[in-house]
Structures are given as structure tokens and as C-alpha cells.
Amino acid sequence: MSLELSGLVKSFRGPHGTQRAVDGVDLVIPRGEFVSMIGSSGCGKTTTLRLIAGLETPDSGSIVHEGREITHVPAARRGLRMMFQDYALFPHMTVGENVAFGLRVRAQRGRHSAAEIDRLVDEHLELVHLPGVRNRRPNELSGGQRQRVALARALVTRPDVLLFDEPLGALDAGLRRAMQFELKRLHAELGKTFIYVTHDQEEALAISDRIAVMHEGRVLQYAPPDEIYFQPTTRYVARFVGSTNLLDGELAGRDGALGAVRLRNGTVVRGLVATGLPDTKVSAMIRADRIDLVAEGPSAMLSGRVRERLFLGTHDEFQVDVDGLDVDLTVHMSRRRDASVAPGVGARVGLRWAEEDVRVLSD
Amino acid sequence: MSAGRHSLCTGWPWTAAAMAVLGFLYAPIVVMVVLSFNTSHVLGLPMEGFTFDWYFRFLGNEDVVESIVNGTLVAVACVVVSIGFGLPAAMALDRFEFPGKAIFRRIVLLPLILPGVTTGVALLNFFVLANVPMSLWTIVTGVGTALIAVAITEIFARLQQIGRSQEEAALNLGATHFEVFLRITLPNIASAVAGAALIAFAIAFDELAATYLLTGRDVTLPMQLWSMIRREVTPEINAIASAVLAVSLVLLVAGMWLSRGAQLRGTRAA
């Protein structure tokens, strides 16, 4: 069983006429999975999340949760809990009252005794590693602590599905990473479905079971992180996730899953053809960390000159001006070896990669 | 004065100028309050003796007391009208898109900017044509409706500031729209509503022009004072004005305390 979105469409009237924020989204989210929706701002990911939460009503399409159609069920009765970007804590209530809110609404009246509510609140503040703050006000807490309170408030009513709208957006890098681990731990511990919206592709790769890459209101690709990373199906997905080189050319031939791309300088690059028949104008995609810098010569597939070299801690990033092409290739090389061996700016280098690391894509 | 305070605005010329301005603003008020306790019938210093007589006298003056009661009634009714219409209007402005919204937002302040005389004359014409007898209620319709603008502006600004996510979070946690309004929206905007109510009360209580034009036989305090002053300025008038001042101060402090309370609680969680 699962959460199924089919044909969801939602338009907004804006200053420039009607715009389709969500334009035909189909997604099946299996129960208990951690699914991320990523894309640049305005791609429709937050609107899709709000449609699931019932905070917006779709123009058309349907949302089915565990076999029950909830497209037009009011937000209050969907049993899905959402974490908001600004946490949306209630400033006039204590932390404890915030967490207990979902247990004290009229719909829940009489289901929990006062003692039970107390116990549940304490239990959930403990679950998010925030004991002993229940009598404080939200504005006395740090950003990370507010985050945890919001999480406890969402969890306390035991929803099947948790929705996250860029919840870590306001945190600094260190805290962000810590919360990512925390969310991952909670997901494993609680076994609930997490639907997570972020514009941070690294975060999505790190924490998701499955990622939906969205663009202009549609889902371009919906797959596990490694598949999104290594086997993107379109140029957009390739560019959006990770550091990618796209070499434009023409499809020169196909042999089963393998295709050959003739670049503008005449070089033929072979790689796996993405699902769906690419048209003649295609690109060869190679991840920056899948390219080796070697000596110029017959073993090199392309050659060029190092234009830029940046030390980035875990690796060096090279920009290589490739002979006969008007693009620079980005190459990431880890620094295990002695740094002096790595070519410096201005050096002539050869570029090499394995065929299985090349994907042949179109739009 | 206190050591370690450095700013551009120090030194005796600044202090003197500031004192002069404050003196100009407040000395007349102080004089009025002082004279209200003077035993002499004639306005002027020095004090002949201290007395509460003038206060007892105006409290014993039926016309004055009635005008205060009338004025208070009108002001309270104006508050009810302005908040009663202004609150829903502000909420509608905050969350719904409707045709003419942009224009409405711009003209909503018009009744407040227009001089009371203009509103008064316009409404007077209207009521005469419509054959509505003049009374305290016609004052309320005239002044109260203009004050809706105050309520809308104050409350709308607060709603914009708090944003929608708290309400959405409450809905998401299973609250009904009514519960959301009662437990989330209202506590968040309470100090803005109270502030708007205080301003509306003060303006309505003071309003002379529109009130004068729209009333029937009933008289409010400013009108009563006006007619008393035309006969003769007595210490009784000073006593009335001083009493109004005292009540205003209490309301002002209460209002400041209310909004400070809201600040201490923090108007936003984020």
C-alpha cells in the first residue's frame, strides 16, 4: 500500500496570468519509504507537497492514500503531518502545549487523558533528543531546537506519513548534516513514510530511498539516488544533480544498450543509451569524478590543457580546456597521492574514462 | 548627565532645546491640571487654595455626566463596529484574492483621511434624504464606519507579519477552522486588535465635527465642553478635561503594556 498521486494539476493566478505550478504529476510513494522531491525554485515541488497535505486543492487529478481517495478530504482529516520551513511553532504556547496541540484538538477530544498527553509529550520530546524544555517558549530556543519541537509536534499524533517542506533550509551546514542523520535515524526507527522537499540535491542524495526530480511542474525522473546520479535520463537531471560534464554531439550509431556520440571535434564517445530513444542531437554525460587525468597519447580519449585547478579538501577540481571543443570539462581527482604529481595550471593532459560511466542523453 | 553616554545629541544646547519643546507641549496641560484644583472661580495663578470642588461640581452636573455617558456609549459602539467589520475584512484581505482587492486596499483609508466635516455633511444629507432621525446611532454609523479603516490597517499589518504557516500547521494537526481562529489566529493578533480598539475609542470619543452634524438631541462630551466654553471658561471645564486626561493616560499605559506583552512573548516563532 502506498500514497498515489495521479495526473495532479494545480494552477495559480499570478500577476502574469495563470501559471501551472504542478502540471500532471504522477508518483507512487510506497509505504515506509523516504522519498525526496527536488528541483530549483518554482519547479512545483512545494505545491505538490501542499496538495498532498490538503493545504491546496488540485484543479484535476487524484491523491489516493492506502486505497482511500483523499483528494478533497480537508487537511485536518488526512492524518498526514507536515513540517514547515519556518517550523510554524505557536509563539503564544509553551513547547509542551505546542507538542500537545494535535492531541488536544476537538477531533481528538476524549481520546487521551491529561496524564496520557503528558506522557506522550515527554516521550516525543525525548525521541527528538530535547528533554526538559516543555515549559519554555519557542522563542527561547535555538533554530535547531525549534526544528526538533516541530518534529515532535508532528510525530506525537502518530501519522503514517510525514511531509517535510525544506525543513533544514534555515540551519547552518553543521547542524544540517546532524539533522540529516537524525531524520534518517527517525525514519529507520519509526518506519513511517517520509516525503521530503528540498532544493539541495546533495541532501536528497544523502537521505532518500527515492528521489523525484521536478522541473516546470513535472516529474522528470523518479528513481533511487544512485540511479538518479549515475543514470539520469535527461540533460536537466544530469545537470541538476552532481557535477556533470555534457558533451554535445550527434548520435553516430547504436548497438543495443550502447550508443556512440560523434563530438564536434570528430571524436566518438561511447556510452550507455538512456531509456527512451534519444533523437539525433544528443549529449554524452560523464561525471566529474569518473574522469581520469592521464598523459597525452593513444590511451587518452580527449586531450586538452588545464585551465584552472582548485583544492576542495576531499578532492582537486580541474577545468580542462578540451582541444577542438568549446566546453571546459570538469574533473574531480581525489588527493590520496602526492599533490605534486597532479598536473598544474597550463599543463597538457589526456582525459580517460570507462565506457560504462558514460550516458547518452537527450532532453 | 550619566557618564559614558556618547551620542551626537548631547551637550547643553541640545538638552535645552529638548526641554523647551517638551515644556511647550506639556506645560499647558500641567497648568490646566493645576488650575482644576484651584479654589478661585477666576482662572489664573497664584493658587488661592486646593480643592476637589470642581470635580464634584462636574460630577453633579447632569448635563456633563450625561454627555460623558453618551460619548462613552458612542465610542464603545464605534469600537464594536470598527472591530466587528474591520477584523473579518482584514482577514479577507490577508488570505483571499478577489476582484477589486488592490483598489479596496487603497481606498480603505479614505474615510479616515477625509475631514470629519466632509463625512458629516455627506452623511447628514444621506440621513435626511433617507428620512432617518438623528440620534446617537447616526453618530455611530458615521464615525464607526470611518474607524473600520483603523482596525483593518492595524490588524491586516499584523496578519501579514505572522504569515499563514501557523494556521496551516494547526489545520494540519487536525484543528477545525474555528479552532484555528480561536487558538492560533486570535492570540497572535490580540494585541493588534486591542491597539486598534484603543485608537478607535480615543478618536470616536474626541470627534466633534461629524458628531455635531449627525447627532439628534443627544450631546457628547466634546459638544458639551464646546457649549460650556462659549458661555464662560470655568475651573469646572479644567476639571473635566483633567479627568479625561487621567482616563486617557490609563488607557494609553494599558495599551502599551498590552503590546509590550506581545513583544515579550515574541510575535513570531521563527
Side-chain angles (χ1 to χ4, degrees), chain B residues 78-93:
Chain B
C78 284
V79 168
V80 171
V81 168
S82 67
I83 302 292
F85 287 92
L87 176 59
M91 291 183 67
L93 273 180

Side-chain angles (χ1 to χ4, degrees), chain A residues 85-149:
Chain A
Q85 198 170 2
D86 62 357
Y87 318 138
L89 296 180
F90 310 131
H92 54 290
M93 298 182 192
T94 64
V95 167
E97 286 165 342
N98 264 280
V99 176
F101 188 88
L103 301 171
R104 289 190 179 138
V105 294
R106 184 158 312 167
Q108 296 288 318
R109 194 153 295 169
R111 290 199 201 173
H112 308 278
S113 67
E116 200 182 337
I117 289 177
D118 266 2
R119 185 179 59 75
L120 283 170
V121 167
D122 282 338
E123 218 174 87
H124 283 83
L125 282 174
E126 206 131 306
L127 181 70
V128 297
H129 297 318
L130 206 60
V133 298
R134 58 178 300 169
N135 291 320
R136 291 210 230 152
R137 298 263 177 194
N139 63 350
E140 297 167 40
L141 304 180
S142 70
Q145 289 175 317
R146 288 177 198 181
Q147 173 82 60
R148 287 158 193 268
V149 174

Side-chain angles (χ1 to χ4, degrees), chain A residues 97-305:
Chain A
E97 286 165 342
N98 264 280
V99 176
F101 188 88
L103 301 171
R104 289 190 179 138
V105 294
R106 184 158 312 167
Q108 296 288 318
R109 194 153 295 169
R111 290 199 201 173
H112 308 278
S113 67
E116 200 182 337
I117 289 177
D118 266 2
R119 185 179 59 75
L120 283 170
V121 167
D122 282 338
E123 218 174 87
H124 283 83
L125 282 174
E126 206 131 306
L127 181 70
V128 297
H129 297 318
L130 206 60
V133 298
R134 58 178 300 169
N135 291 320
R136 291 210 230 152
R137 298 263 177 194
N139 63 350
E140 297 167 40
L141 304 180
S142 70
Q145 289 175 317
R146 288 177 198 181
Q147 173 82 60
R148 287 158 193 268
V149 174
L151 194 54
R153 184 176 69 178
L155 287 172
V156 79
T157 53
R158 300 173 194 281
D160 305 328
V161 181
L162 275 169
L163 309 170
F164 298 86
D165 183 13
E166 307 221 12
L168 309 186
L171 302 180
D172 62 61
L175 205 50
R176 241 182 125 96
R177 183 47 58 90
M179 280 306 290
Q180 288 171 7
F181 278 113
E182 187 83 7
L183 286 175
K184 202 75 183 133
R185 171 184 72 86
L186 278 171
H187 179 253
E189 212 171 298
L190 302 169
K192 299 180 189 303
T193 309
F194 279 26
I195 305 176
Y196 193 96
V197 160
T198 179
H199 64 270
D200 181 344
Q201 40 96 7
E202 275 183 43
E203 185 168 289
L205 289 174
I207 59 181
S208 322
D209 295 328
R210 217 179 267 265
I211 295 175
V213 183
M214 292 189 65
H215 182 54
E216 290 176 345
R218 296 166 189 271
V219 176
L220 293 184
Q221 192 172 356
Y222 180 46
D226 54 345
E227 197 177 321
I228 295 275
Y229 188 81
F230 291 116
Q231 300 165 40
T233 51
T234 61
R235 285 193 191 115
Y236 184 87
V237 174
R239 246 192 307 256
F240 190 77
V241 180
S243 195
T244 301
N245 295 293
L246 288 170
L247 299 170
D248 296 339
E250 280 176 8
L251 193 63
R254 283 192 66 164
D255 177 16
L258 277 180
V261 181
R262 179 171 294 117
L263 306 182
R264 268 179 223 130
N265 66 0
T267 312
V268 173
V269 175
R270 296 172 159 294
L272 295 161
V273 178
T275 44
L277 249 183
D279 43 44
T280 50
K281 290 205 142 251
V282 294
S283 303
M285 182 213 95
I286 316 162
R287 291 287 176 199
D289 55 352
R290 294 281 143 176
I291 303 179
D292 279 329
L293 292 183
V294 295
E296 277 188 285
S299 68
M301 286 150 170
L302 289 169
S303 53
R305 219 159 55 83

Side-chain angles (χ1 to χ4, degrees), chain A residues 13 50 53 55 75-76 80-82 84 86 88-93 98 101-102 104-107 109 137-139 146 153-154 157, chain B residues 97-98 162 165-176 178-180 182-185 187-188 263-270:
Chain A
R13 255 185 314 164
R50 291 172 60 84
L55 298 172
L80 316 175
R81 298 290 176 248
M82 180 146 160
F84 291 79
D86 62 357
L89 296 180
F90 310 131
H92 54 290
M93 298 182 192
N98 264 280
F101 188 88
R104 289 190 179 138
V105 294
R106 184 158 312 167
R109 194 153 295 169
R137 298 263 177 194
N139 63 350
R146 288 177 198 181
R153 184 176 69 178
T157 53
Chain B
E97 290 298 324
F98 49 87
I162 61 174
S165 69
Q166 278 187 52
E167 297 178 7
E168 289 179 342
L171 276 178
N172 183 252
L173 288 163
T176 59
F178 182 65
E179 275 181 288
V180 171
L182 223 57
R183 294 187 55 193
I184 307 298
T185 316
N188 268 302
Q263 267 173 22
L264 284 179
R265 284 196 301 274
T267 45
R268 271 203 92 158

